[in-house]
Amino acid sequence: MLRMRTTGWARGWCLGCCLLLPLSLSLAAAKQLLRYRLAEEGPADVRIGNVAADLGIVTGSGEVTFSLESGSEYLKIDNLTGELSTSERRIDREKLPQCQMIFDENECFLDFEVSVIGPSQSWVDLFEGRVIVLDINDNTPTFPSPVLTLTVEENRPVGTLYLLPTATDRDFGRNGIERYELLQEPGGGGSEGRRAGPADSAPYPGGGGNSASGGGSGGSKRRLDAPEGGGGTNAGSRSSVFELQVADTPDGEKQPQLIVKGALDREQRDSYELTLRVRDGGDPPRSSQAILRVLITDVNDNSPRFEKSVYEADLAENSAPGTPILQLRAADLDVGVNGQIEYVFGAATESVRRLLRLDETSGWLSVLHRIDREEVNQLRFTVMARDRGQPPKTDKATVVLIIKDENDNVPSIEIRKIGRIPLKDGVASVAEDVLVDTPIALVQVSDRDQGENGVVTCTVVGDVPFQLKPASETEGDQNKKKYFLHTSAPLDYETTREFNVVIVAVDSGSPSLSSNNSLIVKVGDTNDNPPVFGQSVVEVYFPENNIPGERVATVLATDADSGKNAEITYSLDSSVMGIFAIDPDSGDIFVNTVLDREQTDRYEFKVNAKDKGIPVLQGSTTVIVQVADKNDNDPKFMQDVFTFYVKENLQPNSPVGMVTVMDADKGRNAEMSLYIEENSHIFSIENDTGTIYSTMSFDRELQNTYTFRVRAVDGGDPPRSATATVSLFVMDENDNAPTIALPTNMSYTLLPPSSNVRTVVATVLATDSDDGINADLNYSIVGGNPFKLFEIDSTSGVVSLVGKLTHKHYGLHRLVVQVNDSGQPSQSTTALVHVFVNESVSNASVIDSQIARSLHTPLTQDIAGDPSYEISKQRLSIVVGVVAGIMAVILIILIVVMARYCRSKNKNGYEAGKKDHEDFFTPQQHDKSKKPKKDKKNKKSKQPLYSSIVTVEASKPNGQRYDSVNEKLSDSPSMGRYRSVNGGPGSPDLARHYKSSSPLPTVQLHPQSPTAGKKHQAVQDLPPANTFVGAGDNISIGSDHCSEYSCQTNNKYSKQMRPHPYITVFG
């Protein structure tokens, strides 16, 4: 069965990489040859070995470094660790010139050189190395032609063996040809009129056999059957015709052989077309195949035979084309066409076929192209002798040609750098301070010739302070020598700046050949002096608003060195790049932009001066550029419009605001004067601080805003100016009390007793000259509402009826309404709202007289309804109490009598229990109040005759109030509390603005006061309009003394005419 391919090229290469082991890890004290193994076709950066470890050198400090002096085409080395690895260029063993004709895998190698450099190149050691290039399976075995033709004579006996053309594999060893296989596709063809039967096909691995024609065996075999007989009568019968056998030749190659295993009848079938496959032994294996066309011819039973199996000869290199080398001779016992022999190349490389020519008829081998021993030193190939019989018979001979050397190559002198000393285009630069015996270059002398022709002698010509020393102490290849070019004396730059070192090499050939090469050594000046500036700090003044490109200053530095070491280049700090620039040669500093002192008034930067020596030395100086000012900026106010808020009633010459103005200029250009352009008679401004003062006191009610302009002028030449607008807003203070427009104190409202609850009785209208919260008014009833009949909306001032009117409420009601604003402190005004409860006005003069007396009645005394109603109620209560008392006494007497009577009657019989006795007298508990006595006492107390007309309440210090004129205390809220009645959205809240500064006196009516319907005799003097103004929060109505206001106005109102009252009627 066929073996499947399970691996790829990568497995073969990885197998090769495993062979990367140093060949020698122990080194003697002397220099040794480093040897490594490496598989071909590897990628870049494949580790080969560590030179430092193999040489026993300790690395890591950085003092010892490594340099690859040769072999860098395929190899590279780490300068610090000594790690040797492959470069980017792949290594193809079959394409290496030195490996073209090498058949031993250990002889194909790459040479390299490694120099070990001590600290500061105080010493240098050179080591040679060799990397053995190992073959991998990267070439496929191929046949000479895709179609191989073999003629086989008919009637050849079974077991006849035919040599087949061998395949060529550029690989060798295990990767070379391993086996051949013979396949036949079904339906093999024959000539027209002839019948060909199908043949079996299967792979056949060739075994190890021999080249004898007598059926040599080795390995398993697969027979290919062909039909026997003719006509088709025996079409079903099959027999073996051909078999493949592989023989191992003495030189180690495999020779495929076709063995006849059955009878051949050209008349039955004149040809067979088989497939010959060749496979190498690589992993994975590579294979190719060719068509093997077997032609059946007449009998040719003798094969050609070479005189010897191996032909050896020497060939001088550079032999002219056409030069004969040797003649191969073979003999064939046959005669005629079957005995005519032709010679052809067998297993031969492309180089052999390109360099040599084989005459097919005579067998002479001659030179086709010149052969250079330095490229090819040996040619090994096979030649086949083939007769012209049908089929032809062949024989094979091996040819080995040794190329002899001629002294045709002059010695080669290669001068390369060594260590850190630069060498380029034949010029080495050496500093004058190098030590004596310092290696400055590596000289490699080689000769491609062999033997004495390649032995070279090398020397330095002329009187120069340099000499050659061997790079290695051991005797190496005489054809290739390496020397270090050392300094033999101190170098002086001032004496000699350049040396031309000529090196001559002579070989030992006859005649000898020589060559020379030269190295120019330039002595470099040591850069030991830095540039120095004359001043450490350079300060210059430069005006702003300049023209870009103007020169600012020039700085100069000097250097004591010479040449490049004394050439100075100037540069600036990166911090000012773009603003300033400097001429690198002259040191002139230029400004690239327009300087603005207001943005930057000072620039400080460094100027660096560098010489062109190695290493570069530098010096620096500090440059300070002071930007001089120009009057190029207008004064600028912080705001275009300044807005200030001040309170009214501010004292004159008080500060009302402050403006801020700035000038970006400096000095006199920034000195400013401030002026008031408008309203200068009202305002003044302070020049230093910008504070604005008022020359008058403000009254917001007269004027609430002021607008004027302030001008600022700087002190430049010419001067510059700017203006700003000042807006001053006068803020309100609570300096006005509310003013009541309606109702007047003399007016009244007629309210029918049948009015429903929530009937609007009157509306108090008030205004306030102030603004904002100071004009926010609040209304409240603070007196004259003992029955809680009325309520006022605190916002709108609407007075509404909130209680049910009864008979006792008939008459005049005086409501004391207080209007407060919301300022701090609050201002207030008091208004009197008169309401007359009656069906109609039958006698207006009586109401007028009552209102007049109301104006003179203290506000602490309530005027509300009919005063006689309470007196009548009290008298009725007394009468009822007396009658009830008399009835109770009579009832008690009757009960006692009946009880005694019943007890005497039932003396000898049933006797009422104690419980019955107690129950009988239980009603007596109701007499404990003794109200008749109390009523009687009250009846005897003095009461006004018409006390039901006016009721005045006054607050006492403890929060209680007087009840009527008896001064009986009862729990009642003070007049400072009121019930709010919601008004419309436009109703002013005037009650919150009312304030009183003095209490009003309490007025008592005399018993002789007239009845309702007549004027009161005791009335408090009140103005016709509501003008009660004060600063307190509530009206004080608990004082028994005359207020300052009432005492001052008593006589005033007695002289005035009383205005006609306003009457409002509800019905």
Side-chain angles (χ1 to χ4, degrees), residues 169-243:
D169 194 334
R170 297 177 64 188
D171 298 323
F172 58 90
R174 179 180 179 181
N175 296 324
I177 296 174
E178 182 186 41
R179 62 176 176 173
Y180 291 88
E181 298 172 348
L182 186 63
L183 309 174
Q184 178 173 351
E185 296 179 359
S191 59
E192 185 178 354
R194 286 174 168 55
R195 181 174 159 218
D200 298 333
S201 63
Y204 171 70
N210 52 56
S211 59
S213 62
S217 64
S220 60
K221 299 180 181 179
R222 174 69 178 233
R223 297 181 179 274
L224 301 179
D225 299 334
E228 296 179 355
T233 57
N234 297 323
S237 143
R238 294 290 185 272
S239 63
S240 299
V241 178
F242 297 107
E243 187 178 84

